[in-house]
Amino acid sequence: AQTVTQSQPEMSVQEAETVTLSCTYDTSESDYYLFWYKQPPSRQMILVIRQEAYKQQNATENRFSVNFQKAAKSFSLKISDSQLGDAAMYFCACYTGANSKLTFGKGITLSVRP
Amino acid sequence: DGGITQSPKYLFRKEGQNVTLSCEQNLNHDAMYWYRQDPGQGLRLIYYSQIVNDFQKGDIAEGYSVSREKKESFPLTVTSAQKNPTAFYLCASSARTVRNTIYFGEGSWLTVV
């Protein structure tokens, strides 16, 4: 079984500042992928960033970057220069190749203060 | 355009009735998924299918049923046995050869009155 834990239900950040969203996971598989998804009020799931577990280098997409600590099973998302449009719910997810199973955390609601 | 189509977007049903939510994809993906999302909550896996004519229970399969007769289609039936079916339902799919890419539909709102 695999689990994804997001222990912070809500966070707030000042516009233009940096915020880090935490996520831990647990899986017995060696072949897996990690994701952060953004869900705005429209409910559309938007892929923010992904990380292959076999890669040591942390993934980066513009203002979004991850801190992937494989031994600690930690996968945090850093948002730099926060913008008002970043306000949304963010989900951490783990995909295992062995059974094609995608498991999500409970999500965190991020608000951005102008 | 390629993608995942869920229908209907909004559905109202009386308590005790079975309802079926449609999910169709034209991405040639092998794996398909159904998730349930309650207000302010995360996504919980209902059922998933890795290949045609095969599917597995997720974490909250009770009260739901699925079929996978065609690669493109993975309908979800919410039965009268589901005690609290009012929720937002999301369908997703992924390719086994490109396992780091997962696509989502726009979701279906089900309200049971």
Side-chain angles (χ1 to χ4, degrees), chain A residues 35-97:
Chain A
F35 305 86
W36 277 98
Y37 280 91
K38 172 184 177 181
Q39 188 182 47
S42 67
R43 295 277 182 155
Q44 179 69 44
M45 295 293 283
I46 302 167
L47 178 64
V48 175
I49 198 165
R50 59 183 162 221
Q51 173 83 42
E52 289 86 350
Y54 61 85
K55 289 187 177 178
Q56 293 185 337
Q57 187 173 5
N58 288 327
T60 299
E61 288 286 341
N62 300 315
R63 298 183 294 109
F64 299 89
S65 61
V66 298
N67 182 7
F68 175 44
Q69 301 290 325
K70 192 171 184 177
K73 295 186 176 178
S74 170
F75 183 61
S76 60
L77 174 69
K78 185 171 83 171
I79 306 175
S80 303
D81 184 26
S82 296
Q83 301 175 359
L84 295 178
D86 294 335
M89 200 154 184
Y90 286 82
F91 293 96
C92 179
C94 176
Y95 176 90
T96 53

Side-chain angles (χ1 to χ4, degrees), chain A residues 39 42-45, chain B residues 6 9 21 35-39 46 85-90 105-110:
Chain A
Q39 188 182 47
S42 67
R43 295 277 182 155
Q44 179 69 44
M45 295 293 283
Chain B
Q6 287 188 239
K9 188 167 179 66
L21 305 180
Y35 291 90
R36 169 181 172 142
Q37 186 178 23
D38 294 283
I46 304 172
T86 296
F88 182 65
Y89 292 86
L90 272 166
E106 295 188 345
S108 294
W109 284 98
L110 172 63

Side-chain angles (χ1 to χ4, degrees), chain B residues 8-85:
Chain B
K9 188 167 179 66
Y10 299 95
L11 185 60
F12 294 87
R13 277 295 181 266
K14 290 184 178 179
E15 195 170 331
Q17 289 182 331
N18 291 358
V19 298
T20 297
L21 305 180
S22 170
C23 178
E24 303 277 334
Q25 53 97 359
N26 59 6
L27 301 165
N28 200 33
H29 284 174
D30 293 294
M32 296 187 73
Y33 313 82
W34 273 107
Y35 291 90
R36 169 181 172 142
Q37 186 178 23
D38 294 283
Q41 301 296 314
L43 278 69
R44 293 184 290 171
L45 183 63
I46 304 172
Y47 269 98
Y48 64 109
S49 168
Q50 299 178 58
I51 199 167
V52 175
N53 293 323
D54 186 45
F55 48 83
Q56 289 79 40
K57 292 182 179 180
D59 301 317
I60 55 166
E62 185 176 349
Y64 299 96
S65 66
V66 294
S67 63
R68 188 84 189 277
E69 298 176 2
K70 298 186 298 181
K71 189 175 186 178
E72 313 80 59
S73 178
F74 192 42
L76 173 73
T77 296
V78 184
T79 75
S80 56
Q82 169 50 235
K83 296 189 187 319
N84 186 17

